[in-house]
Amino acid sequence: MTQSLRQLIAGNWKMHGTTAFASDLAGSLADKASAAGNNGVDMLLCPPSPLIAAVRGAIGESGIALGGQDCHAAEQGAHTGDISATMLADAGCSYVIVGHSERRADHAEDDAVVKAKAAAAQASNLVPVICIGETLAEREAGRAVEVVTGQLRGSVPEGASASNIVIAYEPVWAIGTGRVPTLADIAEVHDAVRAALADIAGDAEKVRILYGGSVKPENAAEILAVGNVNGALVGGASLKADDFWGIAEAAA
Ligand code: PEP
């Protein structure tokens, strides 16, 4: 069990916000983070691409990190509508989410695609937050651990280590639904991911494994206290400064 790692609280804004909203939300979080000083928690904001510049301006020197929500596997080229990891790095990002279940479902991204994107992120000195998670049907069939560790093996690039990957376990059925697995179920999957990482990543015991899926200020403390949970990937609750800050405080 690895709980001594510095927790990472990451906000996935998905396709929400305007420039004014982004400046306001990120500015308010930056004020809180600056006032709190080094409270032992890492915070990351992943806004939609057009809002990255506004968020970068608003977070200033607060210590909050910036990330993208996806990147293409290629560095450049004829890929209309896509953005590369190099572009994200140039825009001030240090992380990028890859393999979110909404990308896997909406854009038919399989493990091989996710792995190529994660490798591209690493090549641009970004840390990929590699998302994995079972569907409700897979959980009900008793296949959650098998599915999640299979996605892990297929999605993590060679040469991965604690310094160049973050894993996010996000049960698909818990995302945006208000449903959360039992703490025992979260522990079972996180323990299995930790064990599987030993074969595929260096410093496996230091790789941060986030939980994602309906994390709120009300349930954050108990989830973040589960063994091998090293932070949270937060969707809906990352769109309100008080809620996201409340989750970060629960991690401190
Ligand atoms: C997500 O989209 O990564 C997520 C966890 O969403 P929510 O917190 O809203 O369930």
Side-chain angles (χ1 to χ4, degrees), residues 98-113:
V98 293
H100 191 282
S101 60
E102 288 153 14
R103 298 286 317 176
R104 289 180 185 260
D106 297 353
H107 300 271
E109 293 185 4
D110 61 13
D111 291 340
V113 169

Side-chain angles (χ1 to χ4, degrees), residues 12 14 100 102 170 174-177 212-216 233-237:
N12 172 15
K14 310 194 187 193
H100 191 282
E102 288 153 14
E170 298 205 301
I175 294 179
T177 60
S214 296
V215 177
K216 312 278 178 224
L233 181 53
V234 184

